[in-house]
Amino acid sequence: MQQILDFLTARQDTALHELCQFLRIPSVSADSAYIPQMQACANWVLQAMTDAGLQATIYPTAGHPIVYGERLVDPALPTVLIYGHYDVQPPDPLDLWTTPAFEPTIRDGRLYARGATDDKGQLFTHLKSIQAWMQVNGGLPLNVKVLIEGEEECGGVHLDDFLKSHRELLRADVAVVSDTSQYGDGIPAITCGLRGIVAAEVRLRGPAKDLHSGVYGGSLANPVNALTRMCGALIGPDGRVQIPGFYDDVLDLTVEERSGYASLPFSEADFLKEVGSGAVFGEQGWSTLERRTARPTCDINGILGGYTGEGPKTIIPSKAMAKITCRLVPRMTPQKVLDGLESFLRAHCPPGIEFEFRRFHGCEAFVFDPTSDWLVAAKRAVETAFGQPPVLFREGGSIPVVLSFKQILGIDTLLLGWGRNSDNLHSPDEHIHLQDFHRGTRASACLWQELATVRPAR
Ligand code: BES
Ligand code: MN
Ligand code: MN
């Protein structure tokens, strides 16, 4: 193991240089203008897998390509399925980046670029650790299958089809995903739960065109008034979601889980500084950490309607729209939450307003058994590389593929995040700390050794 770690240390700069090439490709999956760059990025990943010693192939889909590589040693040994996504969020707003999003730049020990932490920088650690094993040992201590997709950030549907039609190819004992965060700076985490998500859009239509608000005001329902009233009704002053039945299925934290949360180091002042806000707000009766990771939410992500240009304009707008997401916790079902959300909004819709409700992707929450042998083995690997035992902690974000792995392939996922929530993922100036990239790579190298000792339950 030491030889492999020394090899990685000696080649840190090369790894970083390669990561910069990866980050230079603007693989924005949500925007069809980037289709050629998505293909270029898939080709780059294919080459990186090949260089790591994997047998790799690109699988085209009706959307963005999937890249798959494997190295099978011995069917008796454990097989891990490593997952990552090469697509990134759009870089906007561009003017808030200190250096351009697709011109990777190192400043104060961090590498800045869109995708640096979510997820190119994190997934690349696994390719580099596999390559180190291959070059130093001439082989791996277990079977690896690597699946890197390009539709994670745009709610793509093609990966599930791929999983369903390639069950045999993807057969594995456990999945490994590095697309979450450490608990805090230098405090590693193994994420033992994720929230689920549902997303929807509501569109309201009033009069056929914008009307003079003096001539017609008072005689017709205004779609922007209607939308803000229905959206405003979603959250009570106590921070609770007002949709009837919303909390009915929620699996509450156990007393042990709550005392676990309470014992984690947490500074509200540091938290507020990180997010640049003046006060916390949320559901009464729960701590900030609990609200962020183990309680369900409902958020309006964006709202559009009427005149917002300079100076006044006296109109009754013709239409309005809002985008809404709810984060789900264990036992909540996407279908039921969407049904509740739709009926709630519809019930608040005044006469004369045409109501349209569109549903997007959804997935349930996920929790990992903390006593599993895989998790215990992963803990050892993380502790070796970070010099500290990892905290077992739930994350508030969602990674729908984890549910698909469970439902379609029947396997659990080890969520080993090397980055930090403060890395500005989805925000301007996204970055990864060079130290996190390097120790993540070392943890990954140790992980193969540790997971190889687990006897798979087949
Ligand atoms: N890597 C994130 C999810 C994440 C980040 C989980 C940090 C935990 C900590 C992932 O790329 C992401 O952005 N997921 C989306 C899913 C959605 C598009 C279905 C999310 O959580 O909003
Ligand atoms: Mn991600
Ligand atoms: Mn993301």
Side-chain angles (χ1 to χ4, degrees):
M1 201 61 239
Q2 194 52 49
Q3 265 175 293
I4 295 173
L5 296 179
D6 292 343
F7 178 93
L8 285 172
T9 307
R11 283 165 183 74
Q12 277 185 3
D13 290 346
T14 317
L16 209 57
H17 175 76
E18 291 168 2
L19 175 57
C20 288
Q21 293 179 345
F22 193 11
L23 292 169
R24 234 168 247 131
I25 308 170
S27 48
V28 180
S29 55
D31 185 343
S32 56
Y34 291 88
I35 288 175
Q37 288 90 337
M38 289 299 293
Q39 183 64 49
C41 200
N43 294 342
W44 193 92
V45 173
L46 179 82
Q47 188 59 48
M49 282 188 186
T50 309
D51 293 346
L54 301 171
Q55 191 111 37
T57 319
I58 291 185
Y59 289 87
T61 72
H64 301 302
I66 290 169
V67 195
Y68 174 79
E70 63 179 23
R71 178 104 202 164
L72 306 180
V73 186
D74 173 356
L77 289 169
T79 302
V80 292
L81 176 64
I82 302 156
Y83 163 90
H85 61 91
Y86 68 82
D87 65 323
V88 300
Q89 285 275 314
D92 324 61
L94 298 180
D95 53 317
L96 292 184
W97 285 79
T98 308
T99 47
F102 297 108
E103 290 175 25
T105 309
I106 296 173
R107 282 195 302 278
D108 9 288
R110 306 167 191 199
L111 174 58
Y112 286 83
R114 174 57 89 228
T117 192
D118 186 11
D119 178 40
K120 288 174 175 172
Q122 298 210 65
L123 80 84
F124 196 50
T125 62
H126 297 306
L127 295 182
K128 293 319 285 178
S129 76
I130 290 170
Q131 185 179 42
W133 267 93
M134 295 298 297
Q135 297 198 352
V136 176
N137 267 36
L140 286 158
L142 77 187
N143 306 301
V144 299
K145 301 184 172 185
V146 187
L147 176 67
I148 309 293
E149 69 145 325
E151 297 188 356
E152 198 273 348
E153 298 290 10
C154 64
V157 292
H158 302 104
L159 185 68
D160 273 10
D161 295 340
F162 183 78
L163 299 184
K164 286 176 191 151
S165 55
H166 294 81
R167 281 197 176 87
E168 195 47 46
L169 178 76
L170 302 172
R171 180 189 296 279
D173 298 300
V174 70
V176 168
V177 175
S178 291
D179 195 23
T180 50
S181 302
Q182 299 177 47
Y183 174 74
D185 301 359
I187 309 173
I190 294 185
T191 304
C192 58
L194 289 168
R195 285 195 288 196
I197 186 170
V198 294
E201 185 177 296
V202 53
R203 291 174 174 265
L204 302 185
R205 206 168 249 290
K209 52 188 184 294
D210 292 358
L211 298 173
H212 192 290
S213 66
V215 176
Y216 297 101
S219 66
L220 294 168
N222 172 327
V224 179
N225 291 18
L227 185 68
T228 50
R229 211 168 80 82
M230 63 176 74
C231 287
L234 282 168
I235 306 291
D238 57 356
R240 298 237 332 155
V241 178
Q242 301 296 301
I243 301 169
F246 187 76
Y247 295 94
D248 283 2
D249 298 330
V250 166
L251 181 64
D252 277 338
L253 288 168
T254 61
V255 175
E256 295 78 56
E257 284 173 311
R258 292 202 80 180
S259 60
Y261 269 81
S263 69
L264 290 170
F266 178 76
S267 149
E268 193 163 290
D270 289 351
F271 170 74
L272 289 173
K273 212 170 128 202
E274 175 188 323
V275 297
S277 182
V280 298
F281 174 75
E283 192 188 351
Q284 293 291 300
W286 303 91
S287 70
T288 300
L289 280 180
E290 290 168 340
R291 289 169 178 168
R292 259 176 57 194
T293 62
R295 299 297 301 165
T297 64
C298 180
D299 278 295
I300 296 152
N301 311 116
I303 192 159
L304 202 65
Y307 177 74
T308 54
E310 198 181 333
K313 186 182 185 203
T314 50
I315 54 160
I316 299 174
S318 151
K319 51 193 184 178
M321 75 94 103
K323 291 188 184 271
I324 304 175
T325 49
C326 296
R327 296 286 168 168
L328 317 184
V329 300
R331 284 217 198 130
M332 295 173 88
T333 51
Q335 173 82 35
K336 205 168 155 185
V337 172
L338 283 169
D339 289 348
L341 176 64
E342 177 169 359
S343 342
F344 181 87
L345 296 172
R346 216 179 258 286
H348 283 78
C349 188
I353 300 278
E354 202 181 294
F355 179 97
E356 189 193 344
F357 188 80
R358 291 191 198 174
R359 297 169 180 228
F360 300 118
H361 52 257
C363 81
E364 285 165 41
F366 167 83
V367 275
F368 197 98
D369 170 13
T371 63
S372 123
D373 290 345
W374 303 112
L375 196 134
V376 173
K379 268 179 164 172
R380 289 194 298 266
V382 174
E383 178 161 4
T384 306
F386 282 75
Q388 264 207 75
V391 169
L392 284 196
F393 187 61
R394 295 202 207 172
E395 271 289 358
S398 311
I399 307 180
V401 73
V402 170
L403 248 286
S404 304
F405 286 160
K406 184 79 192 175
Q407 289 167 351
I408 303 170
L409 304 179
I411 54 173
D412 280 325
T413 298
L414 285 168
L415 292 157
L416 310 174
W418 320 132
R420 310 181 190 187
N421 282 338
S422 56
D423 285 345
N424 290 334
L425 44 164
H426 295 205
S427 301
D429 280 349
E430 179 178 349
H431 57 267
I432 191 166
H433 291 252
L434 303 186
Q435 186 192 25
D436 290 344
F437 174 66
H438 297 313
R439 61 188 170 190
T441 308
R442 284 199 288 275
S444 170
C446 296
L447 184 67
W448 313 137
Q449 172 93 328
E450 296 292 351
L451 293 182
T453 67
V454 177
R455 182 183 290 258
R458 287 182 186 150

